[in-house]
């Protein structure tokens, strides 16, 4: 039996994953009352046709929401991945519960946005792939991390303008020739952590479309275009 040290160092439900406050295991997404009340759980749809067919984000973007991603992405807290997958999964089914269409549920595969090998070696893991594995398991949709490859080592996007982001990622992704058959005619979810200007999603979508994907959906945890937050006393 594999010994999971992380389970004992960071037992689920003991600490709020944003502020570290003690909580009990009944708290949704391992969040304390203070933090969860300050988060925007409003789903967002974003349109970027003809590059992809449907865009979906589970949450808005703000100080508290970004800690969810930053804890995983920059602080190496990989135990966050199943929590973030739960948030995305629940957001998808909230659409169904409200009577709205959710084409994501008909996807044939989930493709996490790949990291360049240098960045992957530095970080030790791909945060999008970590989330995708848990989300795919919950949705019963297979994950394929091999159909999309990052062929160019690009600059970090955070400090770039929208135009600079687009230029930075032009031609950065490619479907290997050996994977084209796996893509042709398929409905594919591109999974990323944050949707900001859409430069990453569009660059990935272009590569998949060129390889013959039938439908391309983009799913992220956070949407930077949704910064509305409730003021909580």
């Amino acid at each position: 039996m594999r010994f999971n040290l992380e389970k004992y160092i960071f037992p689920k439900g003991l600490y709020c994953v944003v502020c570290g406050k003690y909580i009990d295991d009944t708290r949704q997404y391992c969040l304390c009352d203070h933090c969860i009340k300050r988060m925007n759980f409003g789903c967002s749809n974003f349109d970027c046709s003809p590059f992809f067919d449907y865009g979906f984000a589970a949450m808005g973007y703000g100080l508290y929401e970004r800690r969810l991603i930053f804890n995983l992405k920059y602080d190496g807290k990989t135990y966050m991945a199943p929590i973030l997958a739960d948030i995305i999964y629940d957001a998808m089914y909230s659409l169904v519960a409200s009577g709205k269409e959710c084409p994501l549920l008909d996807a044939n595969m989930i493709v996490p946005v790949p990291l360049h090998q240098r960045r992957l070696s530095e970080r030790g893991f791909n945060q999008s792939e970590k989330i995708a594995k848990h989300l795919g398991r919950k949705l019963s949709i297979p994950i394929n991390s091999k159909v999309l490859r990052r062929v160019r080592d690009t600059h970090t996007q955070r400090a770039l303008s929208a135009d600079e982001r687009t230029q930075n990622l032009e031609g950065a992704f490619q479907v290997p020739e050996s994977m084209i058959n796996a893509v042709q005619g398929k409905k594919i979810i591109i999974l990323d952590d944050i949707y900001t200007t859409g430069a990453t999603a569009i660059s990935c979508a272009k590569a998949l479309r060129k390889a013959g994907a039938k439908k391309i959906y983009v799913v992220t945890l956070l949407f930077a275009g949704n910064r509305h937050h409730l003021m909580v006393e």
Side-chain angles (χ1 to χ4, degrees), residues 31-230:
L31 293 167
C32 70
D33 290 341
H34 173 90
C35 291
I36 201 168
K37 287 177 180 178
R38 287 161 174 77
M39 290 188 179
N40 179 356
F41 285 94
C43 304
S44 299
N45 292 115
F46 39 87
D47 176 46
C48 205
S49 56
F51 302 108
F52 52 84
D53 301 281
Y54 185 82
F56 176 85
M59 304 178 73
Y61 183 92
L63 178 64
Y64 286 83
E65 294 89 346
R66 72 182 185 181
R67 281 309 323 163
L68 295 172
I69 284 294
F70 287 5
N71 282 341
L72 170 61
K73 190 173 182 176
Y74 301 119
D75 297 339
K77 298 177 180 178
T78 54
Y79 59 85
M80 292 293 300
I83 298 171
L84 306 188
D86 285 347
I87 293 173
I88 296 171
Y89 177 87
D90 290 346
M92 286 183 180
Y93 274 94
S94 73
L95 289 182
V96 177
S98 66
K100 297 179 181 178
E101 182 182 6
C102 186
L104 306 168
L105 302 178
D106 293 326
N108 302 117
M109 73 174 77
I110 300 176
V111 176
V113 171
L115 296 178
H116 188 269
Q117 187 57 49
R118 181 188 64 81
R119 187 70 53 80
L120 183 61
S121 297
E122 289 175 354
R123 189 171 295 164
F125 62 92
N126 178 348
Q127 72 280 355
S128 296
E129 185 175 11
K130 290 284 187 183
I131 299 169
K133 286 181 177 179
H134 292 282
L135 182 63
R137 193 174 300 128
K138 292 177 73 69
L139 293 171
S140 298
I141 298 175
I143 308 303
N144 194 324
S145 301
K146 297 180 179 180
V147 301
L148 198 59
R149 181 183 299 163
R150 198 165 195 142
V151 294
R152 218 161 40 76
D153 190 6
T154 56
H155 298 293
T156 301
Q157 294 279 87
R158 292 177 68 185
L160 301 181
S161 67
D163 288 342
E164 288 171 335
R165 286 170 181 248
T166 299
Q167 185 176 2
N168 185 42
L169 288 168
E170 188 65 37
F173 301 96
Q174 187 179 86
V175 176
E177 191 171 339
S178 60
M179 290 287 113
I180 289 178
N181 286 341
V183 170
Q184 287 182 335
K186 297 298 193 300
K187 292 179 280 188
I188 298 174
I189 292 175
I190 298 170
L191 187 86
D192 204 3
D193 48 11
I194 304 171
Y195 187 96
T196 307
T197 64
T200 301
I202 289 171
S203 187
C204 290
K206 283 180 177 179
L208 291 169
R209 191 77 79 187
K210 183 179 179 181
K214 181 180 180 180
K215 295 282 186 180
I216 299 173
Y217 312 128
V218 174
V219 172
T220 65
L221 177 72
L222 307 183
F223 177 44
N226 181 0
R227 294 174 182 259
H228 173 71
H229 294 86
L230 296 175

